[in-house]
Amino acid sequence: MKNKQHYAVPVIVGAVAAAVLSLIPLVNYCNFFFCMWMLVGAGLAVYMVQQKAGEAIEPGEGAAIGGITGAAAGSLIGLLYFLFFAIFGAAMIPGLDGPQATQAGESIGVMIAMGAGTCVGSVVAFGAFGALGGVIGTQIFKPSTPPPPPNLGGGPGFGP
């Protein structure tokens, strides 16, 4: 991983792009196809690092870039889900203000535990698919090598 100094901005851009696309209603259904938006976000991060570094990115480094991007996107999505629950979750539990308040309180505890599990699951799953997207990105955005110069005749002893 020789291009670490170029990771920060591409990882953030790729993670935000993947998270936003994963949270938009109807567009987020594309994630049913191998976490498509995470693959795209990780590929974008690899492309941006390659452009900043000015050289081809090896597949191992692409996997690292994609994994970091995926973990960042999973963290962002988990945080947004948790904030959404913190703001609107209590309104979804019936009986919170009635005589069953203790049962409703237990339900909140269970929902918080489920939300924490979702956060951890998002980080792990998006990190794995991000690593895959990083490897794919290194192959898609690999710079083409110029063809070798033509042999214009002569041979090993040709010339001065």
Side-chain angles (χ1 to χ4, degrees), residues 33-124:
F33 303 105
F34 302 107
C35 276
M36 186 176 94
W37 296 128
M38 192 56 256
L39 297 174
V40 169
L44 174 65
V46 166
Y47 174 77
M48 290 176 68
V49 169
Q50 183 172 288
Q51 293 302 309
K52 282 183 145 189
E55 62 184 354
I57 302 294
E58 296 295 322
E61 187 173 12
I65 294 167
I68 295 167
T69 303
S75 299
L76 182 60
I77 288 173
L79 176 69
L80 291 174
Y81 278 145
F82 189 76
L83 288 175
F84 182 80
F85 172 74
I87 294 170
F88 301 110
M92 295 187 293
I93 300 173
L96 188 59
D97 58 351
Q100 296 92 4
T102 54
Q103 289 177 340
E106 291 171 3
S107 298
I108 290 175
V110 170
M111 291 179 80
I112 288 173
M114 288 174 48
T118 300
C119 291
V120 171
S122 295
V123 171
V124 171

